[in-house]
Amino acid sequence: MARYENYRENRSHSRHHGHHGHRHSHHHGHHRSRDYHRNHHSHTRHHYPTYNPVEYSYDDSHGVEDSVKCEFPRFTSQERLGRIPWAINVLSWIFLTPAIISQIMILVFTIKFVNTDNTGFELESPNFPLFKNSRFEECWNLTPDPANCTAIVDILRNSPYELDKKYLDRGYTPISSQWRSHDGIEYGWCAFASCFHGFKVVPSVARPSIVGETKFDLWNTLNMSALVSLLTFVKRSWDVGRGKQNYCTGSLKEVGIINWGGLIYTIVGPFVFWWVSFIRFAIDPVSNSAVSIFAWRSIWLLASTVHYHPWSCVLRGRPGLKQFLSWFLAILALVQWCATLYVLSAGWGALQKEGITQGYDCVEAMIRDAPGTTQCSAEKLCSDTILLSNVSFYWDSLEQNIVYIGLSGFTILSATALQPFVWATWRSFTRPDESWGEHFKRGDIGLVFGFIFAGLFVLLMCALTATVVVNLSAITDREAPVVANTACNAVHVGLSNWRYYLDVSIYSRALRIAKAWFNA
C-alpha cells in the first residue's frame, strides 16, 4: 500500500511538472536517474566512478513504463565531449561524399566496360580461341626486329618480376606487362608480340580461375563495405539529433529505410551470397578465387548496433532476445572472419604455387588448322601446362598498390573489431566490480574509429584506383599475357584483362558484377 501511494505521489509530481515543458522533465529525470545510481554504487561497491555505456534517460511525464529514451553510443554525448561529436559528424560527411562518388564511378566504368565495342573480337568468332579478346593477331603478323627481340629477352632476364625468371629458367618466354624499357628505350607490347611471328598459335578455352578477384573488384568490395559503415554512422548521427525528443515505442516504424536496406543488404550479400561463394572456394580454391575479404565487417557492424537505436527500441521488451542476437551475430562475424583468413591463406597458396598454374584447356582439334608452324605434336602442346598457364599481367606500378591497400584495410579493420573484446576481457580482471558488457561498450572504439578507418581507406583507395582505372582505360589497347615455348616454336595467348574481363560476356559476368556489388 505504501508502495502504491509513493507511486501515485510520483505520478502526481510528474503531472505537476508536465506543463512546464517536455524538455525540463526529461532533463531533471535524467539527472535524478544518474544521481541515484551514483549514490547507490558508492555504498555497495568500491569507490570507482560508475559509467553508463549508453546515452538514455527517463521522462517522468510519460510514466515509469513508457519513459525509456532511444539508446546511442556514449561518444554521441554533446554535453560530455563538447565539439568532438560535431567534428566527428562533419568528418563522416567528408568521408561519405567521396565514397558515394567512388561508387558512382564504379557504376560508370562497369557500364563502360560491359559495353565495350567487340567488333572483330566476338565470342562466336573462330579466332577467339586463338587470340581471345586481345590484338595479338595484329602484332603477330608484323615483321619482327631481331635486335629488339634480343634486347627484350635481355630485359626479361633482369626483370623485377620473379615470375618472368621462372618462365625463362624453364625454357619459356612470357609477356607479362604492357611495355618494357632499357637504357631509355621503350619496347611496347606489340613489338614484343611480333617476336613470335610464325609461331604456332595454340587455341584454348579459359578456365573459371582466370576471371578471379580483379583490382576493380577489390576497389568495389572495399568501397561497398566502407559505404555501408559510413551510411550506418551518418544515419545514427541523424537519429541522435532527432532522438533527443524521441522515446522508444517498441514499434517497427522506428526502423528507417536505411536501416531496413542495410539489414536486407547484409543478409543477402555479405552473409548468404558470401557463404555460397566460400563453400565453392573451399571445394576448389583455384577455380573460385573471387571471394570478398570484407564481407565479415557487415555482420560485425550489425552485431555492434543491436544494443543501440533503432534495434534496441524494437527489442526493448525482449532483453533476452537482444542479448542473444548480439552474441549470435558477433559469433557469426568471428566465424566469417576466420573463414576469410582461410581464403587469404589457402587462396594465395593455391594461386601462387610455384608461381605457375594452368589456367587454360587446349582445343586439340583446332591445332592443325591454327596459324603458324611447330615441330611438336598437338598432343604434346595440349599437355604443356606451363604453356597453358595463367600469367599475371602487370599494367602499372600503382595498380599493384591496390592489393596492399586492400590487405592493410583488412588488417586494421580486423584490429578495430577485435579491440573491444580484448579490452573487456582485460578490464574484467582489473575491474571485476563492473560487468564484461559494460567494459565492452566503454572500450569499443570501433563505433567511431571503425568508420574513420573505413573513410580513410575510401579516400586512399578512391584516389589511387580512380587514377589507375582512368589512366589505364585511356592507354590500354587489348594487351594480354602471352607465353611462348621456343623449343616447340609455339605460343599461347591468354585473355586480356584490359577491361577487367567485363568486356567478355562469359564466365558468369552478371554474377561477377553482382558478387562485387553485394560484397560477396
Side-chain angles (χ1 to χ4, degrees), residues 499-517:
R499 291 294 183 260
Y500 300 98
Y501 306 114
L502 293 177
D503 60 315
V504 185
S505 60
I506 53 178
Y507 312 110
S508 306
R509 179 172 63 181
L511 180 62
R512 287 187 280 121
I513 295 174
K515 278 170 59 67
W517 278 79

Side-chain angles (χ1 to χ4, degrees), residues 244-301:
K244 292 183 181 299
Q245 303 299 330
N246 291 345
Y247 292 82
C248 284
T249 64
S251 171
L252 289 176
K253 294 180 180 180
E254 297 191 45
V255 183
I257 295 177
I258 293 180
N259 298 112
W260 280 122
L263 177 62
I264 295 173
Y265 174 85
T266 300
I267 294 174
V268 173
F271 183 67
V272 176
F273 206 168
W274 188 91
W275 278 106
V276 172
S277 299
F278 174 77
I279 292 173
R280 294 178 61 192
F281 173 87
I283 296 173
D284 185 4
V286 174
S287 299
N288 301 281
S289 59
V291 181
S292 172
I293 63 173
F294 300 106
W296 62 272
R297 177 169 169 77
S298 296
I299 307 298
W300 170 81
L301 185 65

Side-chain angles (χ1 to χ4, degrees), residues 415-459:
T416 304
L418 292 174
Q419 172 269 327
F421 289 94
V422 177
W423 170 269
T425 302
W426 174 65
R427 294 295 286 174
S428 293
F429 288 102
T430 59
R431 291 283 298 276
D433 59 307
E434 294 181 358
S435 68
W436 187 92
E438 198 169 341
H439 288 306
F440 183 94
K441 290 181 179 180
R442 176 191 299 194
D444 188 5
I445 67 171
L447 293 169
V448 176
F449 288 96
F451 102 87
I452 291 178
F453 289 141
L456 289 174
F457 277 104
V458 162
L459 291 177

Side-chain angles (χ1 to χ4, degrees), residues 183-235:
D183 292 336
I185 302 175
E186 188 174 279
Y187 302 92
W189 180 88
C190 195
F192 200 169
S194 68
C195 295
F196 304 123
H197 177 77
F199 279 44
K200 170 69 74 173
V201 181
V202 179
S204 67
V205 176
R207 293 179 176 180
S209 59
I210 296 298
V211 186
E213 184 88 332
T214 67
K215 310 298 189 304
F216 190 73
D217 294 334
L218 184 60
W219 179 25
N220 198 349
T221 54
L222 177 58
N223 196 75
M224 282 301 300
S225 178
L227 190 59
V228 170
S229 298
L230 291 167
L231 282 174
T232 300
F233 186 87
V234 170
K235 174 61 168 59

Side-chain angles (χ1 to χ4, degrees), residues 297-319:
R297 177 169 169 77
S298 296
I299 307 298
W300 170 81
L301 185 65
L302 188 61
S304 66
T305 56
V306 167
H307 286 285
Y308 303 118
H309 181 78
W311 305 114
S312 62
C313 288
V314 174
L315 300 172
R316 171 192 167 194
R318 301 175 178 84

Side-chain angles (χ1 to χ4, degrees), residues 15-26:
R15 285 194 297 269
H16 174 71
H17 287 280
H19 71 279
H20 290 295
H22 174 83
R23 180 180 56 190
H24 295 288
S25 59
H26 153 59

Side-chain angles (χ1 to χ4, degrees), residues 1 17 25 52 55 138 144 148 158 190 220 267 282 328-329 350 415:
M1 187 64 180
H17 287 280
S25 59
N52 194 350
E55 277 296 316
E138 169 196 338
N148 286 349
N158 297 288
C190 195
N220 198 349
I267 294 174
F328 178 71
L329 292 171

